[in-house]
Structure formats: C-alpha cells, structure tokens
Amino acid sequence: MKIPTIIYIGHRKIKIREISPKIADRDKIYGDFDSQKDLIRIDKSLKDEKKLNTLLHEIVHALLDHFNAELKLKDEEKVCEVLGSGLSDLFFNNPKLINLISSVYNSNKK
C-alpha cells in the first residue's frame, strides 16, 4: 500500500513518513503524530490493513490537535482507537463510499 507523503488539515501541512521496523520497535510504536513537527510516522513493515488503521489513528490525533480538543491523553487514545478502527473498517467494507467521496471531491474541484 502506498500512503500519501503529505495531507492537509486546515492550514497545516502534515508530513507522513514510513519508518523502519527497527525504529518502530525502538520507539515501541506502530505509528505516531508529532504536533510540533506536523509529522506522522508509520512502521513501513505493517500489513496494509494495519497500516491504514494506524494511519487513520494518527490522522485522528492530528485532527484533535488541530481543532484543540484538549482531551486527557487516555481519552484521546480511546477516541483515536475507536475512530481509527471504525473508519478503517468502514472504508474496507464499503469501497463504494470511497468512490462517492472521491467523485464529490472531484466534482467540487472544477
């Protein structure tokens, strides 16, 4: 699975970097979001479904940071886990939904 190297949230440009399993193991992560660097890191050895789930989880962290959710870390992790897993499941099981999102986006771009 090829993941994007940049996403945009509001005015922010969030970089996405795949990291080696060695670095992921050292840091004890599948992925993480650094709000100071606007950087998401993802273990490149993850299988596609786990990689997408992790990416969505980290994007939710970025959204919560950008929109100043100001949640306690434990609560933020729960929100990211539920939404990351939920969105991953939703997109895997409903590919027509992704097509719909893409077609609406493309028609509004014109």
Side-chain angles (χ1 to χ4, degrees):
M1 175 175 89
K2 182 164 175 48
I3 62 174
T5 57
I6 295 171
I7 61 170
Y8 297 92
I9 298 176
H11 67 279
R12 292 168 77 174
K13 180 178 176 179
I14 311 291
K15 298 173 288 303
I16 301 173
R17 301 289 177 260
E18 291 191 89
I19 58 173
S20 72
K22 185 176 182 177
I23 292 171
D25 286 344
R26 180 197 71 199
D27 294 348
K28 297 178 174 53
I29 61 168
Y30 293 124
D32 64 3
F33 169 64
D34 184 329
S35 63
Q36 300 299 311
K37 296 179 181 177
D38 281 342
L39 174 66
I40 291 174
R41 299 185 307 157
I42 305 290
D43 179 348
K44 68 180 172 183
S45 70
L46 297 175
K47 295 187 184 215
D48 286 353
E49 190 169 347
K50 181 68 176 172
K51 192 181 286 188
L52 176 61
N53 181 283
T54 302
L55 177 60
L56 290 171
H57 177 106
E58 299 309 330
I59 288 171
V60 174
H61 276 295
L63 288 166
L64 293 172
D65 180 73
H66 182 75
F67 291 103
N68 300 311
E70 297 180 5
L71 298 174
K72 293 178 185 170
L73 183 57
K74 181 181 174 185
D75 295 335
E76 182 173 326
E77 277 304 318
K78 183 68 172 177
V79 168
C80 292
E81 185 60 34
V82 168
L83 286 175
S85 296
L87 289 169
S88 181
D89 182 67
L90 177 71
F91 294 148
F92 267 106
N93 290 307
N94 298 280
K96 289 180 182 179
L97 180 60
I98 294 171
N99 293 338
L100 173 66
I101 293 167
S102 182
S103 71
V104 169
Y105 169 78
N106 287 328
S107 70
N108 287 333
K109 253 174 77 172
K110 295 177 182 178

